[in-house]
């Protein structure tokens, strides 16, 4: 029989003034309680096994805080997302992606000179070692761009030896700038390679998002001018995807980093995890789903399938582990979607009509209401990215491009955390107990 009694006086984390008495099978355990600046308090169970010979059990980590962090805060019930305290909608509407990068990395919005220096340093790290161009040629042209991203990013440590020593703060900072600066170049080259067009080198006279669109859509045969409205939309989409607390891919980066792996290898691990359709792959899956539905009159059939436990189909772009309210990023994403379609004269885009009607129906359906399933950031991003000219298989690449700054910021925080140790979870073992080997002749 286990009961928990707690006494709290509300101090911040690491001031061990809160206690919880956990009574496990008659034994009383004193476990410290820590209170953050906002959000749920935590019970420190790091001594639980030593005191009780028991583990906690939390598959999927629905009730487990893996770390202390000062970077991003999410309130899933209120639909709140803060980056270093700033609401995502204000950052997306008023700021730039590189400004958000600075904020996530260094903790505050940059002032004039700081920001100019940061932008200059990012700009002058956008080129790739020429030998990496040969690396791409080892892939088939029809390789999924995410497969290329995992491979090329994982190989960067073979080219940039001077920024792999994780114990050197200077090298950690150079690796951070290199990753943020080079991801657009790597992503654009993955796209160009898949369509058989020549790579386009970065241009220092263009800002971050305009440079990316130019590397993706310009061709040597003629001049190309990036539409500033579309560049602004791209920049805002990057801001919306920059960081999101301890999601699956960020947790992967932290766990890989806890072993001392170099930052490029850690980011490659994060890209691999993000690829899953339950995570960053949902934007590609959501567009594929909308195309499969095809028209408003077929929506009821798919709503029924999404509710049918015997059918593995789920509404892609709906639901979230943390948000049990509207994803605040989806609100900005939907607005950006309309802006892009209006700019391109596509406001009657059939898929947008299907998406808006699907959202309306789902949000009135008791199944979705009771389970608090709302559209997430992936629901409208696919339509927007396709309108910008990207094929569906590039959508998760763009998510990875943007999320790189979040992964890097969280990786740095983990490396600089004095409590940091290698991550090594335990298990509930239910396999065979001890038994002797049986020679083949006796089986
Ligand atoms: C991202 O963690 C992050 O922060 C991620 C992310 C980020 O920025 O890093 O926000 C990015 O990954 C967004 C999520 C993108 N994924 C999708 O859109 C895929 C569709 N969504 C589902 O696969 C699901 O909602 C998850 C994976 C997002 C969340 O899974 P959970 O928290 O484990 O939820 P669950 O599977 O336990 O669902 C709870 C219930 C279940 O029914 P019951 O077993 O309780 O009867 O809701 C149902 C689920 O069957 N459900 C859905 C559904 N999502 C959940 N039913 C139909 N359609 C859906 N989309």
């Amino acid at each position: 029989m286990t009961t928990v009694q707690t006494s709290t006086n509300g101090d911040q984390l690491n001031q061990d003034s809160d206690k919880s008495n956990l009574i496990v099978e008659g034994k009383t355990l004193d476990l410290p309680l820590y209170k953050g600046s906002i959000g749920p308090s935590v019970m420190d169970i790091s001594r639980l096994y030593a005191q009780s010979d028991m583990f906690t059990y939390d598959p999927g980590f629905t009730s487990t805080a893996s770390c202390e962090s000062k970077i991003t805060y999410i309130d899933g019930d209120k639909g709140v997302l803060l980056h270093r305290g700033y609401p995502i909608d204000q950052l997306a509407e008023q700021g730039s992606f590189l400004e958000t990068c600075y904020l996530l990395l260094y903790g505050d919005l940059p002032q004039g000179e700081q920001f100019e220096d940061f932008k200059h340093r990012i700009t002058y790290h956008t080129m790739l070692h020429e030998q990496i161009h040969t690396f791409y040629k080892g892939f088939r042209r029809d390789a999924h761009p995410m497969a290329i991203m995992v491979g090329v990013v994982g190989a960067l440590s073979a080219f940039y030896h001077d920024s792999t020593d994780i114990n050197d703060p200077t090298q950690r900072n150079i690796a951070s700038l290199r990753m943020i600066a080079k991801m657009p170049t790597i992503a654009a080259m993955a796209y160009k390679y898949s369509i058989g067009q020549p790579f386009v080198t970065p241009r220092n006279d263009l800002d971050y998002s305009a440079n990316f669109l130019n590397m993706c859509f310009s061709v040597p045969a003629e001049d190309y001018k990036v539409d500033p409205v579309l560049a602004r939309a791209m920049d805002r989409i990057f801001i919306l995807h920059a960081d999101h607390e301890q999601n699956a891919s960020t947790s992967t980066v932290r766990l890989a980093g806890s072993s001392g792996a170099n930052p490029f290898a850690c980011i490659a691990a994060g890209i691999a995890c993000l690829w899953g359709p339950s995570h960053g792959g949902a934007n590609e899956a959501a567009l594929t789903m909308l195309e499969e539905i095809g028209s408003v009159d077929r929506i009821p059939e798919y709503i029924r399938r999404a509710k049918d436990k015997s059918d593995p189909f789920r509404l892609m772009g709906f639901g979230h582990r943390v948000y049990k309210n509207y994803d605040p990023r989806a609100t900005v994403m939907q607005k950006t979607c309309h802006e892009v379609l209006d700019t391109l004269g596509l406001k009657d885009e059939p898929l947008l009509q299907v998406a808006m009607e699907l959202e309306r129906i789902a949000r009135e359906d008791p199944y979705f209401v009771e389970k608090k399933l709302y559209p997430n950031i992936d629901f409208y991003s696919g339509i927007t990215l396709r309108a910008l000219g990207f094929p569906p298989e590039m959508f998760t690449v763009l998510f990875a491009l943007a999320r790189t700054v979040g992964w890097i910021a969280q990786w740095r925080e983990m490396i600089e955390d004095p409590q940091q140790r290698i991550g090594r979870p335990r298990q509930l073992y239910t396999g065979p107990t001890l038994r002797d080997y049986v020679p083949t002749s006796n089986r």
Side-chain angles (χ1 to χ4, degrees), residues 244 247 277-280 282 306 309 314-321 329 367-368 371 373 376 378 399 403:
H244 212 238
N247 58 84
S278 289
H279 189 16
K309 284 292 162 223
R314 283 191 166 178
L315 282 189
M316 301 316 283
F318 261 77
H320 198 276
R321 168 61 55 76
R329 303 168 299 174
Y367 173 92
F368 294 89
K371 293 182 186 296
L373 302 175
N376 57 49
D378 297 301
F399 195 150
R403 186 53 58 88

Side-chain angles (χ1 to χ4, degrees), residues 11-17 33-35 68 70 419:
D11 280 1
Q12 298 252 348
L13 184 62
N14 286 339
Q15 294 169 20
D16 221 356
S17 55
L33 279 186
Y34 304 133
K35 192 174 179 58
E68 173 193 349
K70 301 179 184 342
Q419 294 190 53

Side-chain angles (χ1 to χ4, degrees), residues 62 74 240-241 243-250 274 276-283 285-286 305-307 309 313-324 327 329 367-368 371-374 376-379 399 403:
T62 48
I74 300 169
L240 295 176
H241 289 80
D243 189 50
H244 212 238
E245 197 208 70
Q246 305 311 319
N247 58 84
S249 53
T250 297
L274 185 75
S278 289
H279 189 16
N283 50 20
R305 284 186 58 195
K307 292 154 57 172
K309 284 292 162 223
F313 173 78
R314 283 191 166 178
L315 282 189
M316 301 316 283
F318 261 77
H320 198 276
R321 168 61 55 76
V322 176
Y323 289 124
K324 301 310 174 191
D327 181 338
R329 303 168 299 174
Y367 173 92
F368 294 89
K371 293 182 186 296
K372 299 184 177 178
L373 302 175
Y374 291 85
N376 57 49
I377 188 165
D378 297 301
F379 189 62
F399 195 150
R403 186 53 58 88

Side-chain angles (χ1 to χ4, degrees), residues 232-371:
R232 176 72 189 118
M234 187 80 264
D235 204 66
R236 187 179 297 156
I237 292 168
F238 288 158
I239 295 172
L240 295 176
H241 289 80
D243 189 50
H244 212 238
E245 197 208 70
Q246 305 311 319
N247 58 84
S249 53
T250 297
S251 299
T252 300
V253 171
R254 278 181 172 259
L255 197 56
S258 74
S259 75
N262 75 68
F264 305 112
C266 295
I267 299 303
I271 295 171
C273 176
L274 185 75
W275 196 358
S278 289
H279 189 16
N283 50 20
E284 179 179 354
L287 187 85
T288 303
M289 174 192 73
L290 291 171
E291 288 175 332
E292 187 185 320
I293 294 173
S295 62
V296 168
D297 60 320
R298 294 188 66 202
I299 290 175
E301 172 200 343
Y302 284 84
I303 294 279
R304 181 191 54 73
R305 284 186 58 195
K307 292 154 57 172
D308 178 357
K309 284 292 162 223
S310 64
D311 188 331
F313 173 78
R314 283 191 166 178
L315 282 189
M316 301 316 283
F318 261 77
H320 198 276
R321 168 61 55 76
V322 176
Y323 289 124
K324 301 310 174 191
N325 194 323
Y326 211 89
D327 181 338
R329 303 168 299 174
T331 307
V332 182
M333 193 69 247
Q334 188 194 62
K335 184 177 168 210
T336 304
C337 183
H338 283 286
E339 282 173 9
V340 167
L341 296 181
D342 287 351
T343 301
L344 296 170
L346 299 170
K347 63 178 182 300
D348 298 326
E349 155 71 46
L351 286 188
L352 179 62
Q353 309 312 319
V354 172
M356 292 174 69
E357 180 62 7
L358 177 58
E359 176 185 354
R360 186 190 66 77
I361 296 173
R363 291 185 64 185
E364 290 171 358
D365 186 294
Y367 173 92
F368 294 89
V369 173
E370 283 152 25
K371 293 182 186 296

